[in-house]
Amino acid sequence: MEILKNMLGLGLMSGTSLDGLDMALCQFSSDGNKWRYSVKKCITINYTDLLKERLKNADQLKSLELVQLDRDFAAFMADNVNHFLAESELKPDFIASHGQTVFHQPDKGITLQIGSGAVIAARTGIPTVCDFRTTDVALGGQGAPLVPIGDKLLFNNYAACLNLGGFCNISYDYDNQRVAFDITPCNMLLNTLALRLGKPYDKNGSSARDGFMVDALMAKLNALPYYAQIGAKSLGKEWFDTEVLPLLDVPGTITEDLLRTSVEHIAIQIGKVLTDNHIASVLVTGGGAKNSYLMDRIRWHAPETMVVIPDDATVDFKEAIIFAFLGLMRLQGENNCLSAVTGAVRDNIGGAVYL
């Protein structure tokens, strides 16, 4: 199929940490050998307190309430897209929306990201691609992570790409194949603890710096069975709620100590992956890249790896950029999900298209 050139796409990303809706308006072009992109405009839209609470508890809703939230969240996205585009005076050729993950249990063949593509397309008048994970899960894959093909084609100046979002995931080339997986919980863990201090997040890791190690908690975190798994693997909120959250109830321990221990745990797990795989350089993006204490500890545990934090737009919007790119590949009929990464029976083209 002929490569689509000079396509303008709008990527929408809503992650597990519920930091807000990221929008990245991107121009993509290709000479047939290499893809290039430029970000025309990007913004993060904060959720209202009510919407954030509904999204946070979406997995507890009754079926009709969940369907209503699917529609309401899509309307929220569409209305903000319209406002965003009215200010930019640009109209993209397509929208690509990750949606908000409510359930992700690929071992049971289940994954659900809400935010109806039909509603977005209807309210914006722009073709919309969504529901990127279900085809891969139907093919026996994890349906995650999805960004590695974007890492490979758009950010290949680095040996690896590390994203510090709600969960931490990494991708890199090994034996001429892209390898990618979730390493550990990241902002979901740190933000959960920061909320106990009345803060949405621990800015620069300042509270963690003030804490002390809790050795018993560290031992339990490092012993989580997930870390011993090999092959394609991914994490979800259900896993965090059942496996990690109960470990944080440590009587007689202050929150700063829990934060200190959690930061060190995250850094240990990331450092192990970087060191064991001899990663020479890594591009770090996501909210966790702004946590200077966490970054210090990662560098400590991976001293041979050059850790690169890029410009703010790339740090904050890399996933939205890549989802716009995944939407472009879907419209082009190109594989945008790698079986080497997800464990599916074959590479596949993920995404439902609403015109």
Side-chain angles (χ1 to χ4, degrees):
M1 181 176 292
E2 181 182 356
I3 291 179
L4 301 174
K5 297 181 179 180
N6 296 318
M7 295 287 287
L8 188 64
L10 178 62
L12 308 181
M13 180 66 201
S14 179
T16 51
S17 53
L18 290 171
D19 294 333
L21 176 67
D22 293 336
M23 299 187 189
L25 186 61
C26 307
Q27 190 83 43
F28 296 99
S29 63
S30 173
D31 58 9
N33 295 309
K34 182 175 177 61
W35 281 102
R36 295 176 177 83
Y37 79 95
S38 62
V39 179
K40 300 300 182 183
K41 187 178 180 182
C42 50
I43 192 173
T44 297
I45 304 297
N46 293 325
Y47 299 128
T48 64
D49 290 343
L50 177 59
L51 179 57
K52 185 173 183 177
E53 192 66 19
R54 292 175 70 193
L55 291 171
K56 181 180 179 180
N57 298 307
D59 58 337
Q60 305 298 319
L61 296 178
K62 296 179 181 178
S63 56
L64 184 58
E65 293 172 331
L66 183 58
V67 172
Q68 184 66 55
L69 180 57
D70 178 45
R71 181 266 172 206
D72 291 348
F73 183 47
F76 170 85
M77 289 191 285
D79 292 347
N80 279 285
V81 164
N82 286 335
H83 183 69
F84 175 72
L85 295 177
E87 291 183 341
S88 67
E89 298 182 352
L90 292 170
K91 183 175 181 179
D93 299 297
F94 65 93
I95 295 170
S97 175
H98 172 270
Q100 182 67 40
T101 299
V102 177
F103 302 111
H104 184 67
Q105 300 177 35
D107 56 315
K108 298 179 181 178
I110 296 171
T111 189
L112 176 66
Q113 289 74 44
I114 61 171
S116 168
V119 171
I120 296 172
R123 292 176 79 111
T124 63
I126 300 170
T128 298
V129 187
C130 65
D131 195 22
F132 284 93
R133 300 185 187 275
T134 53
T135 296
D136 188 79
V137 171
L139 290 169
Q142 292 285 303
L146 294 180
V147 299
I149 195 165
D151 290 343
K152 184 178 181 68
L153 298 179
L154 298 179
F155 298 94
N156 49 23
N157 293 329
Y158 306 92
C161 290
L162 179 71
N163 186 70
L164 304 180
F167 296 101
C168 165
N169 56 68
I170 192 170
S171 77
Y172 54 92
D173 281 340
Y174 180 79
D175 263 357
N176 297 316
Q177 283 190 323
R178 198 70 180 178
V179 174
F181 51 92
D182 289 338
I183 298 177
T184 179
C186 189
N187 293 337
M188 179 174 283
L189 171 56
L190 301 181
N191 293 354
T192 295
L193 293 171
L195 285 172
R196 297 183 181 181
L197 298 174
K199 303 185 293 186
Y201 62 95
D202 184 17
K203 187 175 182 180
N204 292 322
S206 59
S207 294
R209 285 181 191 271
D210 293 337
F212 294 90
M213 288 288 297
V214 183
D215 293 336
L217 173 60
M218 176 65 79
K220 290 179 181 178
L221 289 171
N222 285 336
L224 287 168
Y226 176 81
Y227 299 128
Q229 293 179 27
I230 59 174
K233 59 181 184 177
S234 62
L235 294 170
K237 183 176 181 295
E238 300 99 317
W239 176 86
F240 177 80
D241 288 346
T242 59
E243 299 292 325
V244 178
L245 205 53
L247 301 181
L248 303 181
D249 291 326
V250 184
T253 303
I254 64 173
T255 301
E256 287 82 357
D257 292 351
L258 299 178
L259 275 165
R260 169 71 175 87
T261 306
S262 296
V263 165
E264 196 70 15
H265 167 70
I266 294 166
I268 286 172
Q269 295 301 325
I270 293 172
K272 186 176 188 303
V273 170
L274 295 175
T275 301
D276 289 354
N277 293 284
H278 309 289
I279 302 298
S281 62
V282 61
L283 181 73
V284 184
T285 57
K290 296 181 177 182
N291 184 326
S292 58
Y293 183 56
L294 174 59
M295 297 309 304
D296 288 346
R297 299 313 299 160
I298 291 172
R299 290 187 175 98
W300 173 267
H301 288 287
E304 302 301 318
T305 301
M306 180 176 69
V307 177
V308 179
I309 301 176
D311 59 276
D312 286 347
T314 306
V315 167
D316 292 335
F317 296 96
K318 177 172 169 278
E319 287 193 304
I321 293 166
I322 289 182
F323 269 93
F325 183 62
L326 296 180
L328 171 59
M329 296 186 77
R330 168 63 183 89
L331 294 172
Q332 189 179 325
E334 296 275 343
N335 287 329
N336 59 7
C337 195
L338 302 174
S339 59
V341 168
T342 67
V345 297
R346 59 175 169 80
D347 293 349
N348 56 87
I349 304 171
V353 181
Y354 292 89
L355 302 176

